[in-house]
């Protein structure tokens, strides 16, 4: 068993992928051709966004959004403490200051209460300017957008949805990639919609932002006059081969993978519920809460144990049985060496930035193998090993 079965996916779509790559090779057009244009149209249609601009990866996608808003070293961008490092890295690369917000203990996404609290701290205790919020749909689970949107509106903050992990997920019946002033996603191979290399995309309904992002992707060039550079940009493009691959995979995602991922998530949830009901020793495993407004396509399935000790015991047991398990994320970002400086910058706020929930979750979380290609019997096997935790609990008691 693998953590993600990209090999099984490839077996199913092999012929179409080979044909798509061959067609690009024979066309003689490798950058900015028909495939990129068609993919952008297909992705805009799929998400319901007016504009889609593809780029080199999901990290650039975030950086490009921030650059097009225009932020400087007095501007604060709020970001959850429990996320992949790229969500915060983009803020620093674009020239702003990341301010880490705690996550909700049940949904594991950015906490609206703590966001309000952190905005208040910046407004009352610093000369810095609150500029934007990056919300992350962690593991594919949509953030609490009713509240986040309201807070952004009240405080005049731009909302950027980091949907790198949530392609296909919906909130109140629409794609989360349509929710932000900007939304972004990543086509890294292991994401919900992945290519065979790196890729990313930006979604927006605002024509002006769309034009600025498109210009920034091409070294800041004018979109109307050739040879004219209007701003300092980047080189961040998706290539034709990856675009052709993504067009095949988008179809397969819509027709097969999305349903299968949702079916597998349901099966795992039910098995965990049944086994917990049967256990008599006050065992307490929890899974990510899905809000009633949300219809997620999960990219990871994670389980929260009672303690770090229990989590590490199960991880070891799984590895012994040949089941790869991963810890996302080993540390919240404020505890990472590279980002702890953003605590020191605001030294007197140190205690305020503890972000208790993020720390507690990272100590106790474990992600199990999860994708569209796991069989029911493999899922049963995984859950059986998880529930060997009972043995561990009685071992502890007998000591
Ligand atoms: C993967 C990921 C990114 C970055 O995407 P890349 O394509 O790898 O640059 C950004 N944010 C989150 C939450 C991610 O999981």
């Amino acid at each position: 068993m693998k953590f993600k079965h990209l090999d099984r996916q490839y077996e199913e779509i092999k012929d179409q992928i080979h044909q798509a790559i061959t067609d690009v090779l024979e066309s003689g057009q490798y950058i900015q051709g028909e495939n990129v244009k068609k993919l952008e149209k297909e992705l805009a249609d799929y998400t319901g966004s007016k504009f889609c601009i593809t780029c080199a990866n999901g990290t650039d996608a975030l950086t490009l959004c921030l650059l097009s808003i225009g932020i400087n070293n007095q501007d604060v961008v709020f970001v959850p403490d429990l996320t992949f490092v790229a969500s915060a890295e983009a803020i620093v690369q674009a020239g702003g200051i990341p301010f880490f917000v705690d996550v909700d203990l049940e949904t594991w996404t950015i906490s609206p209460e703590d966001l309000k609290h952190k905005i208040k701290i910046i407004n009352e205790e610093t000369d810095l300017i609150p500029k934007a919020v990056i919300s992350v749909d962690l593991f594919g689970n949509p953030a609490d957008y009713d509240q986040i949107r309201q807070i952004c509106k009240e405080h005049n903050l731009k909302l950027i949805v980091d949907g790198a992990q949530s392609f296909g997920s919906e909130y109140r019946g629409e794609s989360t990639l349509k929710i932000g002033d900007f939304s972004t996603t990543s086509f890294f191979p292991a994401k919900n919609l992945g290519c065979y290399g790196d890729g990313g995309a930006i979604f927006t309904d605002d024509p002006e932002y769309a034009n600025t992002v498109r210009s920034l992707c091409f070294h800041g060039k004018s979109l109307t006059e050739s040879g004219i550079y209007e701003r300092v940009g980047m080189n961040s493009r998706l290539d034709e081969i990856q675009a052709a691959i993504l067009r095949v995979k988008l179809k397969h995602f819509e027709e097969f993978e999305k349903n299968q991922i949702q079916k597998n998530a349901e099966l795992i949830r039910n098995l965990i519920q049944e086994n917990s009901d049967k256990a008599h020793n006050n065992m307490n495993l929890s899974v990510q809460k899905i809000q009633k407004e949300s219809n997620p396509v999960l990219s990871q399935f994670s389980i929260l144990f009672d303690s770090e000790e229990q989590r590490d015991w199960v991880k070891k047991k799984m590895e012994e049985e040949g089941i790869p398990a991963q810890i996302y994320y080993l540390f919240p970002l404020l505890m990472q060496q590279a980002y702890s400086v953003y605590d020191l910058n605001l030294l007197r706020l140190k205690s305020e930035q503890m972000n208790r929930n993020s720390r507690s979750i990272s100590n106790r979380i474990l992600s199990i193998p999860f994708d569209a290609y796991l069989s029911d019997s493999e899922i049963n096997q995984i859950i059986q090993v998880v529930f060997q935790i009972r043995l561990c609990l009685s071992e502890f008691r007998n000591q």
Side-chain angles (χ1 to χ4, degrees):
M1 204 184 306
K2 295 204 173 77
F3 193 69
K4 291 262 176 199
H5 296 95
L6 292 174
D7 50 347
R8 294 182 190 173
Q9 181 197 50
Y10 172 64
E11 275 309 314
E12 283 199 9
I13 52 176
K14 200 173 190 167
D15 294 344
Q16 296 167 69
I17 291 286
H18 289 193
Q19 189 60 52
I21 294 175
T22 304
D23 289 348
V24 174
L25 293 178
E26 286 175 355
S27 76
Q29 177 88 40
Y30 308 119
I31 294 282
Q32 288 300 303
E34 280 305 302
N35 281 291
V36 166
K37 217 179 276 171
K38 285 181 182 159
L39 175 69
E40 288 180 347
K41 169 85 170 60
E42 287 161 9
L43 288 171
D45 288 347
Y46 182 77
T47 59
S49 299
K50 288 212 177 92
F51 305 98
C52 167
I53 303 109
T54 54
C55 65
N57 56 65
T59 311
D60 277 7
L62 288 168
T63 308
L64 287 156
C65 295
L66 292 162
L67 289 175
S68 62
I69 295 170
I71 59 172
N72 65 42
N73 63 8
Q74 294 300 300
D75 292 336
V76 170
V77 180
F78 299 91
V79 63
D81 202 3
L82 192 72
T83 176
F84 182 57
V85 65
S87 313
E89 182 183 42
I91 301 169
V92 180
Q93 293 295 354
I97 304 171
F99 202 75
F100 295 97
V101 179
D102 206 2
V103 296
D104 180 88
L105 201 49
E106 294 193 308
T107 64
W108 313 341
T109 59
I110 192 166
S111 153
E113 287 72 41
D114 198 53
L115 175 60
K116 282 189 245 175
H117 177 62
K118 295 279 159 69
I119 294 169
K120 193 160 171 254
I121 289 175
I122 295 294
N123 281 335
E124 291 181 359
E125 300 183 32
T126 76
D127 299 326
L128 304 172
I129 300 160
K131 203 66 174 240
V133 174
I134 296 181
S135 64
V136 178
D137 297 335
L138 197 75
F139 308 144
N141 191 23
D144 185 347
Y145 286 111
D146 281 353
Q147 292 204 61
I148 303 295
R149 268 192 292 217
Q150 183 60 31
I151 296 167
C152 286
K153 209 167 137 198
E154 241 163 67
H155 295 272
N156 198 21
L157 301 170
K158 296 288 177 216
L159 175 60
I160 300 171
V161 171
D162 179 352
Q165 302 177 357
S166 60
F167 189 84
S169 296
E170 292 172 350
Y171 186 85
R172 290 196 183 276
E174 69 181 7
S175 167
T176 61
L177 296 176
K178 192 187 157 51
I179 284 179
D181 293 290
F182 298 92
S183 304
T184 65
T185 198
S186 161
F187 304 127
F188 182 81
K191 311 279 183 176
N192 283 356
L193 178 64
C195 57
Y196 290 137
D198 278 304
I202 295 121
F203 300 85
T204 182
D205 281 350
D206 183 317
E208 216 161 296
Y209 279 144
N211 282 339
T212 307
V213 167
R214 202 173 277 290
S215 161
L216 283 166
C217 290
F218 284 80
H219 306 288
K221 75 169 187 178
S222 160
L223 297 180
T224 49
E225 291 172 89
S226 69
I228 304 295
Y229 295 87
E230 293 173 337
R231 48 178 72 79
V232 177
M234 296 165 61
N235 174 9
S236 188
R237 294 181 291 238
L238 187 74
D239 65 66
E240 277 290 292
I241 289 182
Q242 299 303 342
I245 289 165
L246 282 166
R247 294 184 64 211
V248 173
K249 289 218 198 177
L250 175 60
K251 214 158 154 271
H252 192 58
F253 177 84
E254 288 188 70
E255 288 170 359
F256 171 75
E257 290 177 338
K258 181 179 172 173
N259 285 340
Q260 201 59 33
I261 289 171
Q262 293 187 319
K263 189 177 141 266
N264 283 350
E266 187 66 23
L267 178 56
I268 294 174
R269 276 173 186 280
N270 289 341
L271 285 171
I272 289 178
Q273 189 60 53
E274 280 170 29
N275 279 279
S276 300
D277 290 348
K278 266 190 266 166
H280 298 298
N281 44 12
N282 289 332
M283 203 178 46
N284 194 8
L285 299 186
S286 48
V287 296
Q288 195 169 22
K289 181 184 168 188
I290 311 295
Q291 292 191 292
K292 64 180 189 311
E293 294 82 3
S294 299
N295 179 22
V297 182
L298 295 184
S299 57
Q300 309 288 351
F301 201 103
S302 306
I303 297 172
L304 202 58
F305 292 89
D306 260 353
S307 68
E308 186 168 3
E309 201 173 30
Q310 290 181 18
R311 186 266 309 269
D312 293 346
W313 190 93
V314 170
K315 182 167 191 284
K316 197 164 142 273
K317 268 282 174 271
M318 291 183 85
E319 277 155 11
E320 283 168 15
E321 305 267 339
I323 301 171
Q326 305 271 356
I327 298 174
Y328 296 120
Y329 293 94
L330 199 54
F331 295 107
L333 292 176
L334 258 182
M335 286 178 73
Q336 293 283 1
Q337 192 187 336
Y339 292 89
S340 56
V341 60
Y342 293 98
D343 208 4
L344 294 178
N345 267 354
L346 304 158
L347 196 56
R348 70 205 157 93
L349 306 177
K350 192 154 184 142
S351 64
E352 295 286 359
Q353 284 237 69
M354 277 294 289
N355 294 341
R356 242 171 261 279
N357 296 344
S358 304
R359 289 183 187 212
S360 170
I361 292 168
S362 69
N363 280 333
R364 298 185 287 129
I365 201 166
L366 190 66
S367 301
I368 60 178
F370 182 70
D371 59 37
Y373 299 91
L374 281 172
S375 67
D376 288 6
S377 71
E378 284 172 322
I379 290 174
N380 270 291
Q381 191 198 342
I382 296 166
I383 300 304
Q384 266 178 29
V385 179
V386 169
F387 278 90
Q388 286 184 23
I389 185 77
R390 285 174 200 154
L391 301 175
C392 156
L393 293 174
S394 53
E395 268 171 37
F396 287 146
R397 256 199 307 275
N398 293 339
Q399 271 166 16

